[in-house]
Amino acid sequence: MKASAVWLLGVVLVPFWALAQAPANLNTITGVQVNGGTVTITGSKKANFTTFTMTDPPRLVIDIAEAVFSGVPEETQVGNGTVTGIRTASYGSDDSAIARVLIGFEREVETDIQATDTQLVVKVVGGGGQAVAQAPTTQPEPAAAQPTTDGTAAKAAAAAETERQAQEKAAAEATARAEADRQAQEKAAAEATARAKQDADAERQRQQEAEARATSQREDEQRAAKAAAVERKRQEEEARASAQAAADERKRQEEEARASAQAAADERRASSESAAEEKKRQKEEARAAAKAAAEEKQAAAKAAADEAVEARRQREEEARAERERRQQERVASATPRPRREVASGSDSSAEVSSRRKTMTLVGFQQQPGVSRVFIRTNEPARYTVSEQGNAVVLELENSRIDLNNNTHPLDTSFFNSPVTRVEADANGRDVRVTIQLRQQAPVQARQDGNVISLDFQRTAR
């Protein structure tokens, strides 16, 4: 039985080709050792494997992917009572290489396979026997046939013939199975070779197509570069022509500008002397006029100051007299005072209550032909207008000023107006508005609602 199993292993696993050199990325199998019921397969890295079993005789096939053998014999006979022998074979090439290890057993067994970093350990569950040398068992030579009367020799011969025929039939069946396995392996190898060839052809086709695309792209790039060079040359020629035309135009414009500048310079030189003389004369006249105006203004200011002091003194005296008179009138009668006419002779008047009035605004306006000073109150008020030298004084009876800002003087001396200054201040229970004039001028006063207006006639300066 052992001899038959070893013979079947030799027939079934015949290597189709071996790799001369293993690529660096493949798992290199360097040893297959048997120790009792344990088979240890050693490689250069952790094995990626698949397994399947075969029967009659019992076998375990291990296919290690992306692996090749190095220094491992194709056949190792064991015969230790558990393992009959080891066969190895290689299939495919490069990354599709497969290293196959076939382990033959004496009987049907269960195995446990463990993979470590560099080893694949196959153990028979329940242990295995050690290698034992056994001599072949020989049958004693049959004794010479003795003639018998009961036919025993004939029966023995018939039994021996039947046993021989049974052994020959078993051997023939084993041979047929081995041949079928070999044919299946050859078919698988042929299919793997065909797939590898198809893959190689497909890869070669892809490379050819890629090279064709690259060649076409290079030709397109060359054509585009040539067209771009032609276009760039045309643009450069156009740019040179445009630059030349622009330079010519710029030169012409520069010449025209120089001619215009020369003519303008000549004209300026021709008129500069007369302009300088005219300017000098105007400056002298301006200085003389400024000096005269300053002297006149200084004299007017001094006169105005003197008049203002005198007018203030007179107003204070008049105010005291007026307060005394009003006090006497209030004591004499509680009846309202009759309405007063304005000093200018206007008869405009308004009904006035006895409540104390509030002056809310003092303003100045230039009207057509007249300069207007206006005073606004919260309601109609009694007032009087009098002339005191170059000043006109407006008295608001029973009135007061609401804001200190209304007591600030208005300087109108810069206007074309007889009015030079307007100032309001409190005078007891009355409000006094003093209007300073450059010289005496006609004035007209009137009251419209809450606004009292004084219009001064302007004269030509």
Side-chain angles (χ1 to χ4, degrees):
M1 184 64 181
K2 293 179 181 178
S4 298
V6 174
W7 177 81
L8 286 174
L9 289 172
V11 173
V12 173
L13 294 178
V14 177
F16 291 91
W17 64 83
L19 297 177
Q21 183 177 2
N25 61 338
L26 297 181
N27 188 358
T28 303
I29 307 302
T30 57
V32 180
Q33 292 83 26
V34 181
N35 183 10
T38 301
V39 178
T40 302
I41 303 171
T42 304
S44 60
K45 60 181 181 179
K46 190 173 183 178
N48 179 14
F49 65 95
T50 59
T51 64
F52 63 92
T53 59
M54 302 176 68
T55 60
D56 200 13
R59 288 154 292 171
L60 174 64
V61 181
I62 303 174
D63 286 338
I64 304 173
E66 300 179 1
V68 294
F69 292 105
S70 176
V72 179
E74 296 179 357
E75 180 178 355
T76 302
Q77 295 184 3
V78 180
N80 61 5
T82 301
V83 179
T84 60
I86 305 293
R87 289 285 295 178
T88 62
S90 297
Y91 302 93
S93 62
D94 298 334
D95 291 343
S96 61
I98 297 175
R100 172 171 289 183
V101 178
L102 188 147
I103 306 173
F105 296 104
E106 292 285 355
R107 61 187 180 280
E108 295 290 342
V109 296
E110 293 184 4
T111 57
D112 177 33
I113 304 175
Q114 298 291 333
T116 63
D117 289 341
T118 58
Q119 290 185 336
L120 194 63
V121 180
V122 182
K123 293 182 179 181
V124 174
V125 178
Q130 300 293 328
V132 179
Q134 294 182 353
T137 303
T138 58
Q139 298 292 335
E141 291 293 333
Q146 299 294 329
T148 60
T149 59
D150 56 0
T152 302
K155 291 180 180 180
E161 181 62 22
T162 301
E163 178 65 20
R164 185 186 62 77
Q165 291 177 356
Q167 290 179 355
E168 289 178 354
K169 182 179 179 182
E173 290 176 352
T175 301
R177 286 194 299 271
E179 181 64 21
D181 291 341
R182 185 187 63 79
Q183 291 177 356
Q185 292 179 357
E186 288 178 352
K187 182 178 179 181
E191 291 176 353
T193 303
R195 285 195 299 271
K197 186 175 183 302
Q198 289 176 357
D199 293 341
D201 293 341
E203 181 64 23
R204 185 165 53 254
Q205 180 67 22
R206 285 194 297 272
Q207 291 178 356
Q208 291 175 355
E209 292 175 354
E211 291 176 356
R213 286 194 298 272
T215 301
S216 176
Q217 184 175 0
R218 283 195 300 273
E219 292 175 354
D220 293 340
E221 291 176 352
Q222 291 174 356
R223 285 193 295 269
K226 185 177 180 181
V230 172
E231 178 64 17
R232 184 168 57 253
K233 183 177 179 181
R234 182 187 65 79
Q235 292 177 354
E236 290 175 353
E237 292 176 353
E238 291 181 353
R240 283 195 295 271
S242 299
Q244 184 62 38
D248 296 341
E249 178 64 18
R250 186 167 55 254
K251 183 177 179 181
R252 183 186 64 78
Q253 292 177 354
E254 289 175 353
E255 292 176 352
E256 292 180 354
R258 283 195 296 270
S260 299
Q262 184 64 35
D266 295 340
E267 184 177 356
R268 284 194 301 273
R269 280 194 301 271
S271 60
S272 60
E273 294 180 358
S274 59
E277 292 178 356
E278 179 64 20
K279 186 175 182 181
K280 181 178 179 181
R281 184 185 62 79
Q282 291 177 355
K283 285 183 178 180
E284 291 176 353
E285 291 179 353
R287 281 196 297 271
K291 183 177 180 182
E295 292 175 353
E296 181 181 353
K297 187 174 181 180
Q298 184 177 4
K302 186 175 183 303
D306 295 341
E307 290 177 356
V309 171
E310 180 63 23
R312 183 179 294 275
R313 185 185 62 77
Q314 292 178 358
R315 285 197 299 271
E316 289 176 354
E317 292 178 355
E318 292 174 354
R320 282 196 301 271
E322 182 65 21
R323 284 196 296 272
E324 292 175 357
R325 183 182 60 79
R326 289 176 182 173
Q327 181 66 25
Q328 292 174 358
E329 289 178 353
R330 281 194 292 272
V331 171
S333 176
T335 58
R337 295 181 181 182
R339 289 174 293 185
R340 296 175 182 262
E341 296 182 354
V342 296
S344 61
S346 172
D347 59 355
S348 63
S349 60
E351 294 295 334
V352 179
S353 69
S354 60
R355 292 185 298 271
R356 191 172 187 186
K357 316 305 184 294
T358 301
M359 188 193 76
T360 60
L361 179 65
V362 177
F364 174 81
Q365 289 181 340
Q366 289 283 71
Q367 300 287 342
V370 297
S371 297
R372 174 172 293 177
V373 177
F374 60 91
I375 296 91
R376 182 177 298 152
T377 57
N378 63 332
E379 59 178 282
R382 290 190 180 91
Y383 68 94
T384 61
V385 178
S386 61
E387 295 184 6
Q388 301 177 7
N390 285 345
V392 174
V393 179
L394 171 69
E395 292 278 351
L396 292 175
E397 299 179 5
N398 193 27
S399 302
R400 62 185 176 186
I401 302 176
D402 62 340
L403 298 174
N404 289 334
N405 188 53
N406 289 328
T407 63
H408 296 168
L410 299 177
D411 185 3
T412 61
S413 60
F414 298 98
F415 293 96
N416 179 20
S417 169
V419 179
T420 61
R421 182 183 178 91
V422 180
E423 184 177 5
D425 59 355
N427 185 16
R429 291 185 58 85
D430 300 336
V431 172
R432 179 173 53 196
V433 180
T434 304
I435 304 169
Q436 299 290 339
L437 304 176
R438 299 182 193 277
Q439 64 275 341
Q440 291 183 351
V443 59
Q444 182 178 2
R446 69 175 181 274
Q447 182 173 2
D448 294 326
N450 299 346
V451 179
I452 301 172
S453 301
L454 285 77
D455 292 339
F456 295 87
Q457 188 70 33
R458 288 200 301 272
T459 58
R461 301 185 65 176

